C-alpha cells in the first residue's frame, strides 16, 4: 500500500484514489498512525470487494511494521483478501502484501519468514505485469528484501531505481518519498553525503506536503544524519516531538532518537 499523489495542486491529502469522503478519511487516519480506525471504515465492504479487502489488509500490515503489534489481525485480514481475490492483478497484489507481512515479521524479529517473503514476492512478480499499477510497489519491496534480508545493496539499488521510475510515471508521490529515502540510505552507506542529503530532503519534503505525519519523524531523523550542528540537532528535536505526539510510533525509531545527542 503506497499511498499517493496530489492532484492538480489541490489539498495533497486528497491523494490519488482518495477523492471520496471515505477514502479521504482513511488516508488522514493512516497518515496519523490510526490504522485500526482506518481499517474499520473498510470492514463493511471487505467481505465481497477485493479492493476493499486488500486495502484493509494493507493498513493492518503497515500497523505491524510501525507498532510491532497486531500480527494476528493482519494475518486474518490478509487471508480474507486472498480469499476474495480472483483476477491476476488482485491475486498478485495480495501476494505482494503476503510478502510484506513476512518481511516485517522477519525484520522485526517476530519470526523468521524470509523464505516466505521471497516466495510471495516471486508469485506477485509472475502475476503483476511490468507496466501494471502495482509493479512499482512490488519492485520497492523486493528492494527492501534485497537490502535488509539479503544484504545485497546492488540488487536493492536496482530494485529501488525501478520502483522510483515507476512511481514517477504513475505520479505516486508517497512511494517516491520511500524510494528517495532508501536510495539516499544506500548513498549514505557508501559515503556519498551530498547525494544522501538530497534524497532525504526530497523524501521529507514530500511527506510534509502530503501531511504524512507517521512517516515524517523517520524522514527528519534520516536527514539529520547528513547535516552538521546546529541543523542536525534541530531536525532530531523535531523528530522527537513528532514521535512523542504520535505515541512512540514508529517503535523502531526510538533507538535512533535516544542514541543521538539532544539539540
Amino acid at each position: 500500500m503506497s499511498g499517493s499523489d496530489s492532484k492538480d495542486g489541490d489539498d495533497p491529502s486528497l491523494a490519488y484514489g482518495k477523492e471520496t469522503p471515505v477514502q479521504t478519511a482513511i488516508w488522514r487516519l493512516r497518515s496519523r498512525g490510526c490504522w485500526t480506525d482506518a481499517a474499520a471504515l473498510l470492514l463493511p465492504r471487505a467481505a465481497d470487494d477485493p479492493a476493499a479487502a486488500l486495502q484493509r489488509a494493507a493498513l493492518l500490515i503497515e500497523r505491524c511494521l510501525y507498532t510491532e503489534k497486531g500480527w494476528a489481525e493482519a494475518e486474518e485480514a490478509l487471508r480474507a483478501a486472498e480469499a476474495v481475490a480472483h483476477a491476476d492483478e488482485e491475486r498478485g497484489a495480495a501476494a505482494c502484501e503476503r510478502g510484506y507481512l513476512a518481511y516485517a515479521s522477519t525484520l522485526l524479529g517476530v519470526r523468521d519468514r524470509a523464505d516466505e517473503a521471497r516466495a510471495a514476492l516471486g508469485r506477485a512478480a509472475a502475476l503483476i505485469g511490468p507496466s501494471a499499477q502495482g509493479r512499482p510497489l512490488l519492485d520497492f519491496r523486493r528492494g527492501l528484501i534485497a537490502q535488509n534480508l539479503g544484504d545485497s545493496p546492488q540488487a536493492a539499488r536496482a530494485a529501488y531505481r525501478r520502483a522510483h521510475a515507476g512511481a514517477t510515471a504513475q505520479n505516486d508521490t508517497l512511494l517516491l518519498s520511500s524510494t528517495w529515502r532508501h536510495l539516499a540510505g544506500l548513498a549514505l552507506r557508501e559515503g556519498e553525503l551530498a547525494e544522501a542529503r538530497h534524497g532525504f530532503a526530497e523524501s521529507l519534503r514530500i511527506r510534509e506536503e502530503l501531511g504524512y505525519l507517521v512517516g515524517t519523524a523517520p524522514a527528519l531523523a534520516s536527514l539529520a544524519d547528513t547535516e552538521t550542528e546546529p541543523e542536525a540537532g534541530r531536525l532530531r528535536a523535531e523528530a522527537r516531538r513528532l514521535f512523542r505526539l504520535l505515541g512512540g510510533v514508529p517503535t523502531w525509531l526510538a533507538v535512533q532518537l535516544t542514541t543521538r545527542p539532544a539539540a
Side-chain angles (χ1 to χ4, degrees), residues 160-174:
Y160 291 151
R161 284 176 174 167
R162 290 194 301 272
H164 191 85
T168 300
Q170 294 182 9
N171 201 23
D172 186 342
T173 50
L174 185 56

Side-chain angles (χ1 to χ4, degrees), residues 85-248:
H86 300 298
D88 280 354
E89 284 196 23
E90 292 170 354
R91 290 187 292 116
C96 187
E97 294 301 331
R98 167 68 58 191
Y100 196 47
L101 180 60
Y103 162 78
S105 176
T106 307
L107 183 72
L108 297 174
V110 176
R111 183 159 63 90
D112 186 349
R113 298 171 62 180
D115 289 344
E116 180 187 352
R118 293 186 181 95
L121 294 192
R123 289 197 305 275
L127 292 165
I128 299 174
S131 60
Q133 184 176 355
R135 191 69 185 210
L137 180 61
L138 172 61
D139 286 335
F140 175 67
R141 290 176 173 174
R142 296 180 90 175
L144 292 175
I145 287 180
Q147 180 180 357
N148 297 317
L149 304 187
D151 193 24
S152 178
Q154 289 185 335
R157 181 181 292 105
Y160 291 151
R161 284 176 174 167
R162 290 194 301 272
H164 191 85
T168 300
Q170 294 182 9
N171 201 23
D172 186 342
T173 50
L174 185 56
L175 181 55
L176 274 176
S177 80
S178 295
T179 56
W180 273 121
R181 182 165 181 262
H182 284 77
L183 285 167
L186 291 176
L188 184 62
R189 177 175 172 173
E190 295 178 355
E192 298 293 338
L193 192 61
E195 181 180 345
R197 183 182 297 116
H198 174 70
F200 287 139
E202 284 297 295
S203 178
L204 176 60
R205 176 187 62 79
I206 290 169
R207 292 180 178 194
E208 287 182 333
E209 288 179 356
L210 290 175
Y212 187 56
L213 288 181
V214 76
T216 299
L220 286 161
S222 293
L223 182 58
D225 288 342
T226 69
E227 296 286 358
T228 57
E229 298 298 344
E231 180 63 10
R234 185 192 69 79
L235 290 167
R236 290 191 187 102
E238 179 62 11
R240 279 191 290 270
R241 185 188 71 80
L242 281 176
F243 181 73
R244 289 192 296 267
L245 178 68
L246 294 169

Side-chain angles (χ1 to χ4, degrees), residues 65-80:
L65 187 65
Y66 276 74
T67 69
E68 303 181 58
K69 296 177 181 178
W71 301 95
E73 188 176 2
E75 180 68 38
E76 181 181 358
L78 179 55
R79 286 177 180 170

Side-chain angles (χ1 to χ4, degrees), residues 1-3 26 30 35 38-39 42 50-66 73-75 77-79 81 93-94 96-98 100-101 137 141 212:
M1 183 176 188
S2 61
I26 289 169
R30 177 194 176 194
W35 298 279
L42 291 159
L54 184 68
Q55 187 181 9
R56 180 171 178 268
L59 286 164
L60 294 174
I61 291 167
E62 187 172 86
R63 181 183 66 171
C64 292
L65 187 65
Y66 276 74
E73 188 176 2
E75 180 68 38
L78 179 55
R79 286 177 180 170
C96 187
E97 294 301 331
R98 167 68 58 191
Y100 196 47
L101 180 60
L137 180 61
R141 290 176 173 174
Y212 187 56

